[in-house]
Amino acid sequence: MRANGWTDLYDWHIDRASNTPIFRQIYLQARAAILSRTFSAGAKLPSTRDLASRLRVARASVVAAYEQLFAEGYLSGKIGSGTYVSFDLPEPVDRRAPNNGTPRNRKRRTNRGRALGIREFPEASLQDNDRPFNTGRTLVDARTLAVWRTLTGRSLRAFGDRELMYSDPRGSTDLRKAICQYLQAARAVQCTPDQIIVTSGTQQGIDIAIRVLLRPDDEVWVEDPGYPLTRHALAMAGAKLRPIPVDAQGINVRAAMKAAPRATAAVVTPSHQFPTGVVLSMARRLELLAWARETGGWIIEDDYASEFRYSGRPLASLQGLDDCERVIYFGTLNKTLFPGLRIGYAVVPPPLLKAFTNARCLMDRQPPTLQQAILAEFMQEGHLAAHIRRLRLAYRDQRDLLVAELSRRARAYLTVQAPDQGMYLVANLRQGLRDIDVEAAARRNGLVVRAMSPLYKKASPRSALMLGFSGYPRQRILPAVASLGRVLRMQRQPEKQ
Ligand SMILES: Cc1ncc(COP(=O)(O)O)c(C=O)c1O
C-alpha cells in the first residue's frame, strides 16, 4: 500500500451547476483516475474528511462515493482507516487518457513544431552498459564511498538557508576555490576561482561554449576521428563541422588552416586525443595557439581523464600556455570520481565570464548545492588526491592485466599497446577483421567493445576496438578476455603462424 500523496494533489472538483449529484461527481472522477492509472494500484486516497473539506461538500457525499467504489471493487481497505486503490480491478484497465470532452481521433497537426535534433545516437555513446569492456566506467572503492557517505551526512546536517535557496550560477565559492587550487597544481592551468564555472560535466560545458561563442553556420575544426557527443552538440547548434585529420602528433593544424581557414573555433582533446590516445605535440600546441591569436579563433580544450596518467611526465594543459585568452578549458569530475556525480568545470577567460555565467544560468540556473558542498570538503580534506593516487594504481594494474591477457589469448587477431594515460586502450584488429562486425558479435556474447571506425568522418578509418579497463577489476577482466578471444576466433580462423 502506498501513501505517496499524489491523490491529494489530484484536481478534485465539483460542478455545482451540474445536474449530476455531488456524490456521483466524486465517484466518476475517482473511477476515471483509477481506470486511466492516474491513481495506481495500492495508492492511498484522501480521507473522506479531508476531501469533503477541500471540496466544501458534506462528508456524507464523499462517503457515498467511496462506498460505491468499494462495492464495485475499485477500492480496498476500510473507510475511516485508510482507503486504497484495489490491486484487483474488476474490469480491464483502460490505458487511454480519460475522455475529457475532446474528440479522441482529432487529426494531429503535422505541419508545425517539427522536432530538431539528433536522431541517430550510437548506443556506445551512452556508456550505461556495465559489461566489460565498456568505456567511461569508473571504479569507486570502499574508502571513497565511506568518506563520501560521511561527508554527505555532515553536509546535510549543516544544510541551511544558503544551501536551500538559489545561489551563484557559477557554483559555490568553496568548490570553485578547491577546483582552482587543484587545476593549478595538477594541470598547470592559469586561473583564479572567479574564472571557474561549475557545470554538470564536460558535455554541459561544451554546450555553454557553443551557445556563447558560435553562431549557426560558423565553421568549427573537430578532430578526425573524434568524440561523437561533442560533434552532435555542435551539429545540433547548426555549426558546420570541419573534420581535421589526427596523426601521431595530434590534430594537424596546418591541414586545418588549409581546409577551413575561416573557422571560428577548434575543439580538441590535447592531453589524450579521443579516441586515438595521441598527445598533442608541443609544436602543434604552439601552432594552434598562434592560429587562435592571429585569427581570433577560440580553442575549446576538453581535458578529460588527464588525472589517470601511468607513466611519463604529465603534459600540462594547453590553457597553461595560452597568453591571449583564447582557450576555454573544460574538465570533469565525472571521470575522476563517478559519472553519476555530474559535476565538471570550465575555466573561462575573464572577457567571456559574464556571457558564460549568464548562459549557464539560463540553462539550469546553478549546480545542486548538496553535491557541491560534499565535493568541496572531499577536495579540501585531501580525499580527492588520495582517491586519484589509489585509482591510478588500480587502473594501471587493470590496464597491464588487460594488455597481458589480450596478448596471451588474442595476439593472432589484434595488436595492443599499453597507453600512458586514460581509461581505455585501443586494440588494432588484424587479418582484415572489421571492427563493426566484432563489436556486434561481442555484443551478442555479452561484451561491449567499441568500434573505432565509425568515429572517423573523412580520414581513412582504422579497424580497431576501444576497450575500457577502468571499470573492471581483475576478476571481470579475465573471463571477459577469454570470451573476446572466442568471439575473435569465430570471426576468423587465425592464419597458421
Ligand atoms: C572525450 C570526452 N570528453 C568528456 C567526457 C566526459 O563528459 P562528462 O563530464 O559530461 O561526463 C567524456 C566521457 O566519456 C569523453 O569521452
Side-chain angles (χ1 to χ4, degrees), residues 241-268:
L241 273 63
R242 298 291 178 247
I244 308 298
V246 169
D247 59 24
Q249 290 194 62
I251 187 169
N252 188 332
V253 181
R254 285 191 196 161
M257 291 197 289
K258 247 198 209 149
R262 282 193 302 275
T264 311
V267 187
V268 287

Side-chain angles (χ1 to χ4, degrees), residues 125 127 135-137 199-206 223 226-230 268-269 272-275 302-305 330-335 338-340 342-345 423-424 450 466:
S125 301
Q127 300 175 315
T135 56
R137 320 272 316 171
T199 63
S200 66
T202 307
Q203 197 63 32
Q204 188 187 40
I206 287 178
E223 296 166 328
Y227 184 50
L229 294 195
T230 300
V268 287
T269 47
H272 188 255
Q273 200 275 328
F274 184 97
D302 174 357
D303 195 33
Y304 77 108
F330 295 97
T332 182
L333 287 147
N334 301 321
K335 294 265 171 232
F338 47 94
R342 305 316 305 155
I343 293 191
Y345 40 82
M423 299 159 75
Y424 62 83
R450 197 166 172 182
M466 294 169 69

Side-chain angles (χ1 to χ4, degrees), residues 187-190 289 301 316-323 327 329:
R187 303 295 306 130
V189 169
Q190 318 172 57
L289 289 166
E301 177 176 13
S317 65
L318 182 61
Q319 195 268 9
L321 297 172
D322 176 22
D323 56 5
V327 178
Y329 174 93

Side-chain angles (χ1 to χ4, degrees), residues 259-315:
R262 282 193 302 275
T264 311
V267 187
V268 287
T269 47
S271 65
H272 188 255
Q273 200 275 328
F274 184 97
T276 60
V278 165
V279 177
L280 189 64
S281 69
M282 187 51 80
R284 293 272 173 87
R285 284 171 193 242
L286 297 176
E287 277 174 12
L288 193 58
L289 289 166
W291 163 80
R293 192 182 311 114
E294 280 154 29
T295 64
W298 299 109
I299 299 171
I300 294 172
E301 177 176 13
D302 174 357
D303 195 33
Y304 77 108
S306 52
E307 303 75 18
F308 300 118
R309 185 151 190 95
Y310 311 110
S311 47
R313 263 195 32 235
L315 259 173

Side-chain angles (χ1 to χ4, degrees), residues 14 16 22 50-59:
I14 292 297
R16 289 178 204 281
I22 284 176
D50 283 352
L51 190 53
S53 101
R54 197 167 130 187
L55 293 172
R56 299 219 199 98
V57 299
R59 188 170 165 217

